Amino acid sequence: MTDPIHRGRSTTAAIDATTTVDATTATAATIEAYGLTKSYGKSAVRVLDGIDLRVGPGSVFSLLGPNGAGKTTTVRILATLTEADSGTARVAGYDVVADRSAVRRSISLTGQFAAVDETQTGEENLRMMARLTGANRADARRRAAELLERFDLTAAARRPAGTYSGGMRRRLDLAAGLVGSPEPRVLFLDEPTTGLDPRSRQQLWEVVRELAERGATVLLTTQYLEEADHLADRIALIDKGRIAAEGTAADLKSRVGGHRLDLALTSREAYLRLAGRAVHHSPETLTLGIPTDGSAAHVRALLDETDPTGRDIDRFSLHSATLDDVFLALTSSEAPAHV
């Protein structure tokens, strides 16, 4: 069997055991994309509008954005599940169109919902996937045991996967994508923690960190700003099919001043007057957050500038900037909410 098995949106790509790594690509970017565009439907709604990406080996790269921003479409193009209308992309050194089979042998893809056979045990799921990659019975049994231990599933190995918690199913799904030997160079995780409780999310984060530490390149899509902040070496903020900003979490936060001065205002008129310069809006409490470098001099200057009469600000507080502030500042194209 040459190509991996795809199971719809919840695909986990099996890895061909014969995959080899070209030494000439070892130090190159593991994922490269230039000018990717994609439109859907009779009205040709443009989902991607010129996406450029470059992801280095052994790193976690996050595509962060809301539903409909183009995250999943980008992953589907890079994983060879759909073709871009224009642009080029290479994954693990291979062109995603011309070298489709080689790309598939080099990747694992985990979608938003766990793609495991719930009637089989965890062990049976992994042994089945190992056999599909060409392993013999003994090697499949050995590989399944290794992955069950690695993903802390040994105690549940002989239970039907349908009895697993959401977090356990996600770990089993990730393990199923790693059954090949060698393991995939590139892991695509499309919103892998959707629907998980906080403890299960933390456990999955630990797995993702371990995979990167072992040398895998991880491209993670997420709607959760906290997730991108904790996991990603670099983050691309995607909005309406375009990259709005890219950098480390610290880089992106610095673009909105590094800190946020929250102003609780005394009137609707003052709120509306200042809303245009804010990165955080809370019309219910008449509170606005304005970027600042956090220094006393800048905070004093902002207070004097925004409230020259001393009547518009009831109280203020200073906070470190978050990715929420970056997201709101760089992706919001709509007028601030009215009160």
Side-chain angles (χ1 to χ4, degrees), residues 250-265:
D251 291 338
L252 295 177
K253 291 172 187 177
S254 72
R255 295 185 62 165
V256 293
H259 291 79
R260 192 183 79 203
L261 182 65
D262 283 358
L263 306 177
L265 300 161

Side-chain angles (χ1 to χ4, degrees), residues 64-67 69 222-223 225 237-239 244 252 256 279 322-332:
L64 174 64
N67 281 331
T222 183
Q223 300 179 60
L225 297 112
L237 185 58
I238 186 168
D239 184 47
L252 295 177
V256 293
V279 296
T322 67
L323 284 180
D324 297 73
D325 301 320
V326 178
F327 183 82
L328 291 169
L330 299 181
T331 66
S332 177

Side-chain angles (χ1 to χ4, degrees), residues 6 75-82 96-97 100 103-104 107:
H6 294 289
V75 167
R76 288 178 63 83
I77 290 171
L78 295 173
T80 77
L81 297 182
T82 191
V96 298
V97 176
R100 186 170 179 242
V103 170
R104 290 186 171 193
I107 68 173

Side-chain angles (χ1 to χ4, degrees), residues 273-339:
R273 177 173 62 83
L274 297 172
R277 62 185 298 176
V279 296
H280 170 75
H281 302 83
S282 179
E284 299 83 5
T285 61
L286 294 180
T287 300
L288 296 171
I290 297 177
T292 173
D293 63 13
S295 68
H298 194 231
V299 169
R300 281 194 296 268
L302 278 176
L303 292 172
D304 290 340
E305 180 184 345
T306 55
D307 188 13
T309 66
R311 300 192 192 98
D312 291 337
I313 296 175
D314 180 42
R315 60 189 180 279
F316 67 90
S317 57
L318 186 65
H319 306 275
S320 295
T322 67
L323 284 180
D324 297 73
D325 301 320
V326 178
F327 183 82
L328 291 169
L330 299 181
T331 66
S332 177
S333 60
E334 301 175 1
H338 292 283
V339 293

Side-chain angles (χ1 to χ4, degrees), residues 88-101:
T88 61
R90 298 178 71 83
V91 174
Y94 303 107
D95 186 278
V96 298
V97 176
D99 303 313
R100 186 170 179 242
S101 294

Side-chain angles (χ1 to χ4, degrees), residues 34-325:
Y34 301 100
L36 296 182
T37 67
K38 184 68 177 179
S39 299
Y40 287 110
K42 293 181 180 179
S43 58
V45 175
R46 180 158 284 198
V47 180
L48 297 184
D49 193 15
I51 294 291
D52 296 336
L53 292 175
R54 185 176 175 85
V55 183
S59 63
V60 179
F61 188 96
S62 177
L63 282 178
L64 174 64
N67 281 331
K71 303 186 304 296
T72 295
T73 299
T74 302
V75 167
R76 288 178 63 83
I77 290 171
L78 295 173
T80 77
L81 297 182
T82 191
E83 289 190 19
D85 296 334
S86 63
T88 61
R90 298 178 71 83
V91 174
Y94 303 107
D95 186 278
V96 298
V97 176
D99 303 313
R100 186 170 179 242
S101 294
V103 170
R104 290 186 171 193
R105 291 194 298 268
S106 304
I107 68 173
S108 172
L109 170 60
T110 299
Q112 296 178 21
F113 306 100
V116 298
D117 186 337
E118 296 192 350
T119 65
Q120 294 193 97
T121 67
E123 181 182 29
E124 288 169 343
N125 268 280
L126 296 184
R127 288 170 61 182
M128 176 186 70
M129 291 301 295
R131 293 285 283 161
L132 288 170
T133 67
N136 60 37
R137 290 182 184 277
D139 287 343
R141 189 179 301 109
R142 175 188 55 78
R143 186 65 177 142
E146 290 175 353
L147 288 167
L148 287 165
E149 181 177 0
R150 178 172 163 190
F151 284 81
D152 195 23
L153 292 169
T154 300
R158 299 191 177 181
R159 281 170 41 197
T163 68
Y164 286 13
S165 68
M168 291 170 68
R169 282 197 296 270
R170 297 304 282 158
R171 297 204 305 275
L172 181 62
D173 197 23
L174 278 173
L178 301 175
V179 293
S181 180
E183 291 186 359
R185 295 178 59 193
V186 182
L187 306 177
F188 293 109
L189 307 181
D190 190 14
E191 301 192 17
T193 62
T194 297
L196 296 187
D197 61 75
R199 184 181 299 278
S200 295
R201 287 177 65 198
Q202 288 281 352
Q203 291 173 339
L204 202 63
W205 289 357
E206 292 174 9
V207 170
V208 172
R209 290 192 191 97
E210 182 205 340
L211 291 170
E213 289 170 359
R214 292 168 69 101
T217 298
V218 180
L219 191 149
L220 168 80
T221 76
T222 183
Q223 300 179 60
Y224 301 125
L225 297 112
E226 179 191 13
E227 186 160 271
D229 205 353
H230 274 75
L231 286 179
D233 299 299
R234 291 185 67 81
I235 299 166
L237 185 58
I238 186 168
D239 184 47
K240 297 182 176 68
R242 297 183 178 184
I243 301 295
E246 183 184 335
T248 65
D251 291 338
L252 295 177
K253 291 172 187 177
S254 72
R255 295 185 62 165
V256 293
H259 291 79
R260 192 183 79 203
L261 182 65
D262 283 358
L263 306 177
L265 300 161
T266 57
S267 68
R268 175 179 180 274
E269 290 72 25
Y271 179 92
L272 293 176
R273 177 173 62 83
L274 297 172
R277 62 185 298 176
V279 296
H280 170 75
H281 302 83
S282 179
E284 299 83 5
T285 61
L286 294 180
T287 300
L288 296 171
I290 297 177
T292 173
D293 63 13
S295 68
H298 194 231
V299 169
R300 281 194 296 268
L302 278 176
L303 292 172
D304 290 340
E305 180 184 345
T306 55
D307 188 13
T309 66
R311 300 192 192 98
D312 291 337
I313 296 175
D314 180 42
R315 60 189 180 279
F316 67 90
S317 57
L318 186 65
H319 306 275
S320 295
T322 67
L323 284 180
D324 297 73
D325 301 320

